[in-house]
Amino acid sequence: MHVSHLSLADFRSYARAEVALDPGVTAFVGPNGQGKTNLVEAIGYLATLGSHRVSSDAPLVRMGADRAVIRAAVTQGERSQLVELELNPGRANRARINRSSQVRPRDVLGIVRTVLFAPEDLALVKGDPGERRRFLDELVTARSPRMAAVRSDYERVLKQRNTLLKSAAMARRHGGRSMDLSTLDVWDQHLARAGAELLAQRLDLIATLLPLADKAYEQLAPGGGPLGLAYRSSAGEAVDSGAARTREAVYEVLLDALSQVRKQEIERGVTLVGPHRDDVLLRLGEMPAKGYASHGESWSYALALRLASYELLRSEGAEPVLVLDDVFAELDARRRERLAELVAPGEQVLVTAAVEDDVPGVLVGARFGVSGGEVTRL
Ligand SMILES: Nc1ncnc2c1ncn2[C@@H]1O[C@H](COP(=O)(O)OP(=O)(O)O)[C@@H](O)[C@H]1O
Ligand SMILES: [Mg+2]
């Protein structure tokens, strides 16, 4: 698929922007702070309902405005669709498909598919577990948009369960009457049900992704691998060893683990078991990548994970748009060339760079200058 038109209103630095796009490579070039990333961030938002830079919507709305609109015309084979999202920080966002009446924002998932490479990706390797969880969950959702509902169920149940645990912790501390814990049993089941569905999808994803990531790493840094992706579950060995991997098996493991930590949970007032506490251990050769891999190796690892995501999504559905936000400047000449060759055949490749020279020669295509809030075809 590709985006044939992007239209923004009060998104980030843009009061308005209208950008007609072609398939193939398009580069956005301009000095720092001029709004290049803002453009591709908007496309990424349509694909994930989130930004790769911030976790809340407020910074996405132009300073002084009260809502932002992102609209895109999307072409997939012969078919063309119009998707529109209105961002209303603090209130519900709104969505439309083909100008029809409103749909839920999550109903637009799957229409725009992207794989976004950005300087922030280094955190996949070097950063906190939350970075890797977000990577997994975004990809799980891109593979299967119905997982957006499962994720939001999980978040909601987790929040409510934590509230309950907190009040149980308070009651204990103040020597009050201990609360009725049968309510907690019900929440355990809700948490385990949504949690198991998400966890089983993550496990399946990791198994499918590993050979693709390994191959991509070999292409970027020959002889440097192999890679290993090992799930680290807060529910323990049964998940990590692969003994429990179906939704049903994981459900039982989660319920059991919750019952074992209940006392601690009531003491601390938080949920200690579930996908929100998990991690993936990234291995390079025999060693964990985090803390051991060099800067260059960490970059190759992050790129390999993104390239693997691209291979996976295109093998399972519409080809995603490849977005390379300011990544070439971060790479040495060899990795730059290899990455450029690997992405060049993509149906649509959007590249941002501060200077023209940062865009590798094989990525020939349309050029836009981005400066002072204007996006101009060169
Ligand atoms: N909500 C906002 N309202 C107005 N301006 C914004 C908003 N968010 C970011 N900006 C501005 O956008 C610019 C950064 O744009 P960005 O696309 O990241 O630049 P670059 O071209 O370097 O990729 C900054 O100057 C910043 O002040
Ligand atoms: Mg930028």
Side-chain angles (χ1 to χ4, degrees), residues 220 328 331-343 357-363:
L220 290 164
F328 291 112
L331 305 175
D332 59 39
R334 203 190 44 149
R335 284 187 181 82
R336 204 188 267 213
E337 291 308 319
R338 290 248 158 85
L339 177 62
E341 281 160 25
L342 291 169
V343 300
D357 287 351
D358 284 342
V359 184
V362 295
L363 294 177

Side-chain angles (χ1 to χ4, degrees), residues 138-282:
E138 277 182 3
L139 199 47
V140 154
T141 310
R143 287 180 94 186
S144 161
R146 66 169 194 90
M147 289 304 294
V150 174
R151 283 169 67 191
S152 75
D153 277 355
Y154 185 78
E155 293 301 325
R156 185 178 44 82
V157 171
L158 179 64
K159 224 165 146 184
Q160 283 170 333
R161 192 174 182 278
N162 281 343
T163 305
L164 197 62
L165 286 170
K166 237 168 244 133
S167 50
M170 285 284 258
R172 246 181 71 107
R173 237 169 269 146
H174 298 294
R177 206 160 45 84
S178 63
M179 61 188 302
D180 176 12
L181 292 177
S182 62
T183 329
L184 205 50
D185 288 339
V186 177
W187 286 106
D188 284 9
Q189 287 162 23
H190 288 315
L191 192 85
R193 199 165 300 122
E197 197 157 356
L198 180 58
L199 194 39
Q201 291 289 324
R202 284 187 187 171
L203 296 171
D204 179 73
L205 170 65
I206 286 175
T208 317
L209 201 64
L210 177 58
L212 300 172
D214 203 41
K215 182 168 160 234
Y217 195 90
E218 182 62 21
Q219 288 169 317
L220 290 164
L227 306 192
L229 303 176
Y231 199 79
R232 289 287 174 261
S233 167
S234 52
E237 241 327 274
V239 173
D240 295 352
S241 67
R245 64 180 102 200
T246 63
R247 200 173 57 177
E248 296 74 23
V250 172
Y251 174 77
E252 296 301 329
V253 171
L254 282 175
L255 264 191
D256 186 48
L258 284 168
S259 72
Q260 287 179 34
V261 295
R262 178 171 285 186
K263 199 160 153 268
Q264 276 166 276
E265 286 189 327
I266 292 173
E267 269 159 26
R268 295 177 50 186
V270 284
T271 298
L272 296 172
V273 165
H276 67 291
R277 306 276 291 199
D278 295 355
D279 196 2
V280 196
L281 177 66
L282 309 182

Side-chain angles (χ1 to χ4, degrees), residues 107-120:
D107 294 329
V108 313
L109 288 171
I111 298 176
V112 176
R113 287 155 71 83
T114 60
V115 173
L116 192 142
F117 297 69
E120 288 82 359

Side-chain angles (χ1 to χ4, degrees), residues 307-356:
L307 285 166
S309 310
Y310 173 54
E311 286 302 325
L312 178 70
L313 292 182
R314 73 196 289 213
S315 74
E316 293 183 343
E319 161 134 7
V321 176
L322 281 161
V323 178
L324 294 99
D325 181 28
D326 231 356
V327 288
F328 291 112
E330 306 270 344
L331 305 175
D332 59 39
R334 203 190 44 149
R335 284 187 181 82
R336 204 188 267 213
E337 291 308 319
R338 290 248 158 85
L339 177 62
E341 281 160 25
L342 291 169
V343 300
E347 178 177 341
Q348 186 170 50
V349 186
L350 307 177
V351 181
T352 77
V355 288
E356 190 92 37

Side-chain angles (χ1 to χ4, degrees), residues 10 56 72 88 208 269:
D10 292 328
S56 77
N88 298 305
T208 317

